[in-house]
Amino acid sequence: MRDVGADSIYRRLFVTKKELTAEDLKKITEVDFENVVALVAVLEKDGIDHIAGGGRYFRSGASGTGQKAEVAFLVSDAFQGLGIASRIFKHLVAIARTSGITHFEAEVLPSNEAMLKVFSRSGIPFTKTEHPSLYTC
């Protein structure tokens, strides 16, 4: 978490934290590539590979004729604004479609304009629901 500032953590977890608990780490790192899929972007900076960011989805139930999944991202502060979340989302969508997921949900703070841009530029229609921070695509 040394590469992720307090604002980034708040936008991802909706709480202020100085460090992640074992439960937090488990929640954001464990995957089964069937119901929970995660991807990371690794970039070289100053001759060293860094995990620049990551995104994940987890299958959350039925949605019409398909399945839905919740999606979330976290990008290191030094690499924000480079389109990393957008690229990860594109790949997550492709993976999800092959496993029957047709809809995504994301809890996004209304002030998180960068994340809202990721969804609006994705080419996938999205809507805001009754819950003030829940967006679906």
Side-chain angles (χ1 to χ4, degrees), residues 80-101:
Q80 290 182 6
L82 301 177
I84 292 169
S86 293
R87 289 180 186 207
I88 291 172
F89 187 44
K90 178 181 176 181
H91 290 288
L92 286 174
V93 168
I95 293 166
R97 297 296 190 233
T98 65
S99 66
I101 294 171

Side-chain angles (χ1 to χ4, degrees), residues 16-136:
T16 303
K17 290 188 173 220
K18 291 187 179 181
E19 55 186 66
L20 296 175
T21 66
E23 184 62 30
D24 292 334
L25 286 172
K26 180 179 178 180
K27 184 178 178 181
I28 64 175
T29 60
E30 289 189 0
V31 298
D32 64 13
F33 289 102
E34 183 177 335
N35 295 306
V36 182
V37 174
L39 299 174
V40 297
V42 178
L43 296 176
E44 181 270 328
K45 182 178 179 185
D46 301 326
I48 300 170
D49 285 343
H50 297 271
I51 294 178
R56 63 185 281 116
Y57 72 75
F58 68 88
R59 191 181 308 265
S60 57
S63 176
T65 60
Q67 294 283 306
K68 64 181 176 179
E70 185 172 331
V71 65
F73 304 89
L74 183 62
V75 176
S76 296
D77 290 358
F79 298 105
Q80 290 182 6
L82 301 177
I84 292 169
S86 293
R87 289 180 186 207
I88 291 172
F89 187 44
K90 178 181 176 181
H91 290 288
L92 286 174
V93 168
I95 293 166
R97 297 296 190 233
T98 65
S99 66
I101 294 171
T102 58
H103 292 83
F104 293 95
E105 294 180 336
E107 287 194 58
V108 181
L109 294 169
S111 62
N112 190 348
E113 294 176 13
M115 194 71 251
L116 295 174
K117 285 181 185 176
V118 168
F119 294 127
S120 68
R121 293 177 180 168
S122 72
I124 297 173
F126 77 100
T127 58
K128 186 175 178 180
T129 63
E130 308 84 46
H131 190 282
S133 63
L134 185 64
Y135 292 80
T136 58

